[in-house]
Amino acid sequence: MGHPLSGTARGRWLTRGKDGRLTLHAPSDDGLLRWTERRPGGPEWTGPDFFPAEHLTDLVIAQGADGIVHLLARRPRADDPGVEIVHAIQYQSGRPVTEWRSLGNPYRTAENGRKAGVPTAAVDTQGTVFVFLRNAGRGLQLRREQKDGKWGRWEDLRGSRLGDGPVPAATSDGHVEVAVPSEQGVRLWAQDAPDGALSAVEPPLECGALAGSGTALETAPGRLTYYWTDPESASVVAHRRGGPVVPIGGSPGDGALAALRARVDGQDCTVLAQRGADGTLLLGVCATEAERHGMWWSDTGVACTGDPALALDALDRVVVAIRGADGAPRLTRQDPDGPGLTLSPDWRRL
């Protein structure tokens, strides 16, 4: 491979397009790599396609219900504001990625600009992109796309002593929320109505969250469940607004969780994936919104580096993607004839 992976992207780096084909995006030192299924459901893939883009770091991927894939990253600048947030789009599976467009950052000076955190994003049901960023003062900034395709100004959502790695998500009823770890517990901002302002939800949750570990999943219409790593107990926890923080076990490493809803033995289940403390891929399964009854965890024994990714293919089989110990992307699929969440032992190296 002429352009080896430099890591894994944050967010949904394995996506399913409107045509049912899966796409895998990954960063390299000098650009972006992309693999695409030849046909819906696989098993053959094309790629890697290479899209040159120098000096990008912290690649983040988000996807809306319209199937459009949004890519965000940080790019250093020698002049003010020191670092800019850049954005590119893939409109359809296998189609070219647009040029990277600068969204700037909330600051005019390089000194403050370089203190801005890693961008994260959510896309609402209308296709509007919301970009969140921890600012230099450790509060939260938002920049959102407007209906005419232009971008609004950076909005200061305030907050204090926030950690990096906001966890935004959009629901099927058009709302956007974001959870952020802080020294005071987990902070949450939410919309009262689609297209509305995001307001802080008080009080903060009195629990710790490892920065960069969180993910969110819509587990009922209009309702999100957040998952993150509690650094004190070294356990994964689950939380829904208005409910308790529920420990669900696991043996997480220091990376992010991936979450997905899927049919397992005919039942609506939540699937979690993480790189465990021993460096192997761990999977957790429970009935959706029934975490209090227990999460079933299994260690695949497959070594991985970086954060795993989950997606459903065109046949609604769970697909798990990792960056292997050799640095190459690998993936496998659910065996529909096996009991529970049985994965094929044949990992495809891309």
Side-chain angles (χ1 to χ4, degrees), residues 126-176:
Q126 300 180 65
T128 301
V129 185
F130 292 69
V131 178
F132 296 91
L133 189 73
R134 191 203 64 188
N135 62 31
R138 298 180 66 189
L140 186 64
Q141 300 281 153
L142 163 66
R143 193 171 189 189
R144 71 174 86 185
E145 190 180 19
Q146 298 175 335
K147 295 186 183 302
D148 59 4
K150 297 180 180 179
W151 288 81
R153 296 180 178 181
W154 287 98
E155 304 172 38
D156 187 355
L157 300 184
R158 303 190 180 278
S160 63
R161 293 186 284 175
L162 301 182
D164 213 351
V167 182
T171 61
S172 57
D173 62 359
H175 292 75
V176 170

Side-chain angles (χ1 to χ4, degrees), residues 48-250:
D49 298 317
F50 174 68
F51 301 93
E54 294 185 349
H55 310 306
L56 297 185
T57 66
D58 302 298
L59 177 66
V60 178
I61 297 173
Q63 185 182 33
D66 55 11
I68 295 174
V69 176
H70 296 268
L71 304 103
L72 292 140
R74 285 164 51 99
R75 183 166 62 191
R77 289 175 48 157
D79 58 354
D80 293 339
V83 170
E84 60 185 350
I85 307 303
V86 292
H87 172 240
I89 301 172
Q90 177 185 289
Y91 286 102
Q92 294 178 327
S93 303
R95 300 296 296 169
V97 173
T98 66
E99 293 185 3
W100 292 88
R101 177 182 178 185
S102 176
L103 301 182
N105 80 44
Y107 300 101
R108 295 182 179 180
T109 66
E111 180 181 2
N112 282 330
R114 293 192 181 102
K115 296 177 183 177
V118 175
T120 56
V123 185
D124 73 10
T125 52
Q126 300 180 65
T128 301
V129 185
F130 292 69
V131 178
F132 296 91
L133 189 73
R134 191 203 64 188
N135 62 31
R138 298 180 66 189
L140 186 64
Q141 300 281 153
L142 163 66
R143 193 171 189 189
R144 71 174 86 185
E145 190 180 19
Q146 298 175 335
K147 295 186 183 302
D148 59 4
K150 297 180 180 179
W151 288 81
R153 296 180 178 181
W154 287 98
E155 304 172 38
D156 187 355
L157 300 184
R158 303 190 180 278
S160 63
R161 293 186 284 175
L162 301 182
D164 213 351
V167 182
T171 61
S172 57
D173 62 359
H175 292 75
V176 170
E177 296 183 9
V178 59
V180 192
S182 81
E183 295 179 10
Q184 302 161 310
V186 176
R187 302 299 308 268
L188 184 69
W189 283 259
Q191 290 178 318
D192 291 329
D195 293 331
L198 277 95
S199 302
V201 178
E202 300 292 351
L205 291 172
E206 295 183 0
C207 62
L210 183 67
S213 68
T215 191
L217 180 69
E218 187 174 30
T219 50
R223 185 163 62 235
L224 296 170
T225 301
Y226 293 93
Y227 302 93
W228 64 80
T229 298
D230 177 358
E232 290 190 7
S233 65
S235 170
V236 179
V237 298
H239 171 71
R240 284 180 285 279
R241 284 180 62 183
V245 176
V246 180
I248 57 176

Side-chain angles (χ1 to χ4, degrees), residues 172-337:
S172 57
D173 62 359
H175 292 75
V176 170
E177 296 183 9
V178 59
V180 192
S182 81
E183 295 179 10
Q184 302 161 310
V186 176
R187 302 299 308 268
L188 184 69
W189 283 259
Q191 290 178 318
D192 291 329
D195 293 331
L198 277 95
S199 302
V201 178
E202 300 292 351
L205 291 172
E206 295 183 0
C207 62
L210 183 67
S213 68
T215 191
L217 180 69
E218 187 174 30
T219 50
R223 185 163 62 235
L224 296 170
T225 301
Y226 293 93
Y227 302 93
W228 64 80
T229 298
D230 177 358
E232 290 190 7
S233 65
S235 170
V236 179
V237 298
H239 171 71
R240 284 180 285 279
R241 284 180 62 183
V245 176
V246 180
I248 57 176
S251 179
D254 58 359
L257 292 146
L260 180 74
R261 284 176 70 181
R263 304 297 295 185
V264 178
D265 291 338
Q267 187 175 9
D268 177 10
C269 288
T270 293
V271 180
L272 299 180
Q274 63 180 348
R275 182 174 58 84
D278 294 332
T280 56
L281 174 70
L282 304 182
L283 294 176
V285 182
C286 71
T288 296
E289 294 204 343
E291 297 91 353
R292 66 186 183 279
H293 298 308
M295 172 78 66
W296 178 77
W297 290 98
S298 62
D299 188 340
T300 66
V302 177
C304 64
T305 58
D307 302 330
L310 294 169
L312 293 177
D313 70 8
L315 302 179
D316 285 334
R317 296 173 297 185
V318 175
V319 181
V320 185
I322 61 170
R323 184 187 184 217
D326 61 356
R330 298 174 183 271
L331 56 86
T332 191
R333 300 175 196 258
Q334 180 182 8
D335 180 355
D337 298 323

